[in-house]
Amino acid sequence: MIELDLLQDRITVKGHANSAPHGKDIICASVSVLTQNLIKSINDLTEDKIEYEISPGWVDIKYGDLSEKSSILIDSFFIGICAIANEYPENIKIV
């Protein structure tokens, strides 16, 4: 199961959906794309500074005060993640 831990200044994504063989899991791929796009978008489209670490099955994003642009990007990320979690509740848990 993929677990998203949401704190006021941090997003942690960990685990695997285990809905298909490695490399063919569309749920894992979807969450990975949304997460990596969030990091890249904040870095490329804003002047906000974030810290992040990525490894297989784990992403940790830390941030402080964010601009309105970054807040909108994070809101967009959550819209996408919630849509996936609603469709596949047995594979994604939002904490």
Side-chain angles (χ1 to χ4, degrees), residues 24-42:
K24 298 189 183 291
D25 192 324
I26 63 168
I27 300 169
C28 277
S30 300
V31 171
S32 292
V33 167
L34 287 175
T35 305
Q36 291 181 39
N37 188 65
L38 173 62
I39 292 167
K40 183 102 173 99
S41 294
I42 290 174

Side-chain angles (χ1 to χ4, degrees), residues 8 12 14 18 28 30 36 38 48 52 60 74 81 84:
Q8 190 166 356
T12 303
K14 56 189 169 188
N18 296 317
C28 277
S30 300
Q36 291 181 39
L38 173 62
D48 293 333
Y52 62 92
D60 188 46
I74 289 174
I81 290 294
I84 297 167

